[in-house]
Amino acid sequence: MDQSTLRLSVMQSNSALVRKLGTMTLLSKEEAAVLESLQSNIVRLKRGDVFISDGGSLSATFVLRAGWAARSLKTKSGRRQIISVALPGDILGLHASFRRTATYTAEALSELELSAVDPIQFLDVSRRFPLIAAGLSWFTAREFTILGDQTLRLGRLSAHQRIAHFLAEIYSRLEKIEEVEDGLLTIPMTQTDLADTLGLSHIHTNRELRKLRENGLIEVQGRRAVRILDIERLCDVGMFDRDRYPEIALSEPLTGSG
Amino acid sequence: MDQSTLRLSVMQSNSALVRKLGTMTLLSKEEAAVLESLQSNIVRLKRGDVFISDGGSLSATFVLRAGWAARSLKTKSGRRQIISVALPGDILGLHASFRRTATYTAEALSELELSAVDPIQFLDVSRRFPLIAAGLSWFTAREFTILGDQTLRLGRLSAHQRIAHFLAEIYSRLEKIEEVEDGLLTIPMTQTDLADTLGLSHIHTNRELRKLRENGLIEVQGRRAVRILDIERLCDVGMFDRDRYPEIALSEPLTGSG
DNA sequence: CGGCCAATTGATTAAACTCAATCTGCGTGG
DNA sequence: CCACGCAGATTGAGTTTAATCAATTGGCCG
């Protein structure tokens, strides 16, 4: 089996994690199988369920198999801020083996399918399969980039720009996991969730969404879907750089293979 | 040499990194020496110098030996947002071995002493010394926590609260590296730097600082120092949890030692 | 048909920004 | 030693943005 065929088979895996890591590194069949086998302990949750609690103990690492989740924090006065949104294939609590206290809350934004993995297994697998270790580190680095972008968004963009920037980011991330069809994004967040992500009131979020609609940038389809009508202009409005999360170049040598 | 004596000697190391890691894991003399030896290539920079450039290539990992640095991003319209502030002992670009493109800019906030380390060396040392690997992962997790707090600060705190929260965080972090003397913090940031960290205009930052002064929470000493007069009230005002960055408990078993 | 959650709209208030001057401390060249 | 220049800090005035308060509407499910 040549490399492109292999890559194809990895991309067809039914594990979102394998598909995602497969876009970053070139996993062997064995590596893909190992990653699959880690995810045997599957849990199903409904919207609103909390599976990691800020300040509580974190005994497992969670792999998102289907659905969306939010990492969030609350001020002492009870206001919620969503730190970042996790999409299928993302990992939460990868650091569980080093710090067994959670520093954020994680909750289901939609119906959720996730697997709870003993964090020691991740360490073990990382030791045995350097490419997986590299992939996981790559993941961590990407999370870092996304958090940086979130900071820029909250600190230096207007409400209008924040929404456009966020939608562009989600578009870009969903695109990579083949979940965009003709500009249609299924976003299982309420406007209040969106507001809590963008540091806005839900009322202001509603009004600014309407402006994006009126400007012909997006079209809201029912309660949980948004069609991006003009991704170029959306990126312009939100000052979002479409090339910000590139795949790893397959020709690029992967260092750190030990 | 018993453990407490060993710990003492590590804490007296002249390398901020060794001191910092030493508060997290119990480093052996050999491990401390290896960490020291990594940092032989020392660079000195002056305020404003950029040593990592967003979008540019990232070929080294930098260890901050003395002085402060900022990770920042710019919007396309040129507005600056400081993502996080790095203090002595912090590491920038630890992911350089996995992603050789920088996703933020790093610049000196003060005169700076840092060492540029070949990222492969970090990988190599991590493989040979599991405790160091654990310490570095711990570092990464802590950076994550700090970024999450920054997000909460920008998204859900008022200008007044943001300043109090940030000062409390800095107090807490400086305290751990023995750089607080009787509440006095040496903060080598201009008010514009502070504003760019907190997502505010420098004018508003100035006014809110004055209010903190008028309320007897802080006292500004010259251009580059702030005395915290009442850390309890400052934490209350900023809704900052003083116990948010605890040291690792020495009795807690370190997993992932292989 | 209610009941409930989410979305929407209007009116008002409050927070933070921008623009426009000063002011101040400090270093430097004359 | 002093005038000058400059960057950073400070203050005032007016404007904009976004939050809050208060209803009302829309859709969906039992």
Side-chain angles (χ1 to χ4, degrees):
Chain A
M1 193 186 284
D2 69 285
Q3 285 207 336
S4 60
T5 314
L6 178 60
R7 184 177 178 78
L8 193 63
S9 74
V10 163
M11 290 308 286
Q12 286 169 340
S13 163
N14 57 6
S15 155
L17 174 60
V18 171
R19 284 201 305 277
K20 215 159 197 171
L21 270 180
T23 67
M24 297 173 179
T25 76
L26 203 57
L27 297 175
S28 73
K29 264 192 149 172
E30 186 189 7
E31 286 159 340
V34 164
L35 274 177
E36 297 269 17
S37 73
L38 281 184
Q39 305 175 54
S40 52
N41 180 17
I42 296 183
V43 183
R44 263 167 254 274
L45 300 178
K46 64 177 196 304
R47 174 177 160 84
D49 285 352
V50 169
F51 56 98
I52 297 177
S53 183
D54 184 24
S57 85
L58 179 62
S59 53
T61 294
F62 296 93
V63 177
L64 221 60
R65 294 178 62 85
W68 292 30
R71 298 180 180 88
S72 69
L73 289 175
K74 278 209 165 109
T75 65
K76 287 184 181 168
S77 60
R79 306 184 70 189
R80 179 176 74 151
Q81 174 65 42
I82 291 179
I83 306 302
S84 66
V85 164
L87 308 184
D90 284 341
I91 302 178
L92 295 99
L94 195 47
H95 58 282
S97 49
F98 302 105
R99 195 186 204 289
R100 289 187 172 270
T101 302
T103 57
Y104 56 80
T105 294
E107 65 188 289
L109 289 173
S110 65
E111 294 217 334
L112 210 66
E113 192 178 307
L114 47 79
S115 39
V117 183
D118 177 355
I120 303 298
Q121 285 193 287
F122 265 112
L123 280 174
D124 186 53
V125 164
S126 293
R127 214 177 342 144
R128 287 191 290 133
F129 301 97
L131 267 190
I132 293 181
L136 294 177
S137 295
W138 178 274
F139 250 55
T140 302
R142 205 188 59 125
E143 292 292 344
F144 221 82
T145 301
I146 291 175
L147 270 190
D149 287 0
Q150 165 78 336
T151 304
L152 178 66
R153 190 155 56 208
L154 294 180
R156 287 294 180 237
L157 298 189
S158 70
H160 195 69
Q161 293 170 324
R162 280 181 221 181
I163 297 178
H165 189 279
F166 179 73
L167 288 177
E169 179 193 304
I170 291 298
Y171 180 96
S172 174
R173 290 171 62 189
L174 285 179
E175 208 178 20
K176 289 199 172 33
I177 55 174
E178 319 259 328
E179 291 200 11
V180 180
E181 178 82 29
D182 196 24
L184 191 68
L185 313 181
T186 302
I187 302 183
M189 297 170 76
T190 65
Q191 289 185 6
T192 298
D193 290 334
L194 192 57
D196 286 351
T197 305
L198 300 177
L200 301 168
S201 71
H202 67 102
I203 293 164
H204 197 54
T205 301
N206 177 283
R207 287 191 234 268
E208 294 298 333
L209 270 173
R210 181 157 55 80
K211 284 185 198 163
L212 287 178
R213 270 197 324 257
E214 288 169 356
N215 292 346
L217 294 172
I218 64 172
E219 195 176 83
V220 174
Q221 313 239 315
R223 216 59 168 269
R224 294 280 178 274
V226 172
R227 188 180 300 281
I228 307 297
L229 297 175
D230 190 339
I231 185 63
E232 287 299 333
R233 269 210 301 149
L234 193 72
C235 288
D236 276 358
V237 166
M239 300 197 289
F240 182 83
D241 179 0
R242 284 194 75 174
D243 304 323
R244 187 138 178 96
Y245 310 125
E247 318 280 296
I248 199 169
L250 281 181
S251 57
E252 185 176 329
L254 262 175
T255 54
S257 51
Chain B
M1 195 187 283
D2 70 297
Q3 285 206 334
S4 61
T5 314
L6 177 61
R7 184 177 178 77
L8 193 65
S9 75
V10 163
M11 289 308 286
Q12 287 170 340
S13 162
N14 56 8
S15 156
L17 175 60
V18 171
R19 283 201 306 277
K20 216 159 197 170
L21 271 180
T23 68
M24 296 172 176
T25 76
L26 203 57
L27 297 176
S28 73
K29 264 191 149 171
E30 188 189 4
E31 287 160 340
V34 165
L35 274 177
E36 297 270 16
S37 74
L38 282 184
Q39 305 174 54
S40 52
N41 181 16
I42 298 182
V43 183
R44 261 165 255 273
L45 300 177
K46 64 176 194 306
R47 173 176 161 84
D49 285 351
V50 169
F51 55 97
I52 296 175
S53 184
D54 183 24
S57 85
L58 179 62
S59 53
T61 294
F62 296 93
V63 177
L64 220 59
R65 294 177 61 85
W68 292 29
R71 298 180 179 87
S72 69
L73 290 175
K74 279 211 164 105
T75 65
K76 286 184 182 170
S77 60
R79 305 183 71 188
R80 179 176 73 151
Q81 174 65 42
I82 291 178
I83 306 303
S84 66
V85 164
L87 308 184
D90 284 342
I91 302 178
L92 296 99
L94 196 46
H95 57 283
S97 47
F98 303 105
R99 195 184 204 291
R100 288 186 173 271
T101 301
T103 57
Y104 57 79
T105 294
E107 66 189 289
L109 288 173
S110 64
E111 295 217 331
L112 211 65
E113 192 178 307
L114 46 78
S115 39
V117 183
D118 177 355
I120 303 299
Q121 285 193 289
F122 265 113
L123 281 173
D124 185 53
V125 165
S126 293
R127 213 178 341 143
R128 287 190 290 134
F129 301 96
L131 268 190
I132 292 181
L136 294 177
S137 296
W138 179 274
F139 250 55
T140 302
R142 205 188 57 125
E143 292 292 344
F144 224 83
T145 301
I146 291 175
L147 270 190
D149 288 0
Q150 165 77 336
T151 304
L152 179 65
R153 190 155 56 207
L154 293 180
R156 286 296 179 237
L157 298 189
S158 70
H160 195 70
Q161 294 170 324
R162 279 181 220 181
I163 296 178
H165 189 279
F166 179 73
L167 288 177
E169 179 193 304
I170 291 298
Y171 180 96
S172 174
R173 291 170 63 189
L174 285 179
E175 207 178 20
K176 289 197 173 32
I177 54 174
E178 319 260 327
E179 291 200 11
V180 180
E181 177 83 29
D182 194 23
L184 191 68
L185 312 181
T186 302
I187 301 182
M189 298 171 75
T190 65
Q191 289 185 5
T192 298
D193 291 334
L194 192 56
D196 286 351
T197 304
L198 300 176
L200 302 168
S201 70
H202 68 101
I203 292 164
H204 198 55
T205 301
N206 177 285
R207 287 193 235 266
E208 294 298 334
L209 269 174
R210 181 156 55 78
K211 285 184 197 164
L212 288 178
R213 266 194 331 254
E214 288 168 355
N215 292 345
L217 294 172
I218 64 172
E219 196 177 82
V220 174
Q221 313 238 314
R223 218 58 170 273
R224 293 281 178 273
V226 172
R227 188 180 300 281
I228 308 297
L229 298 173
D230 190 338
I231 184 64
E232 287 300 333
R233 269 211 298 149
L234 194 71
C235 288
D236 277 357
V237 166
M239 300 196 290
F240 182 83
D241 180 359
R242 285 195 74 174
D243 304 323
R244 188 139 177 94
Y245 311 125
E247 318 282 296
I248 199 169
L250 280 181
S251 56
E252 186 176 330
L254 262 175
T255 54
S257 52

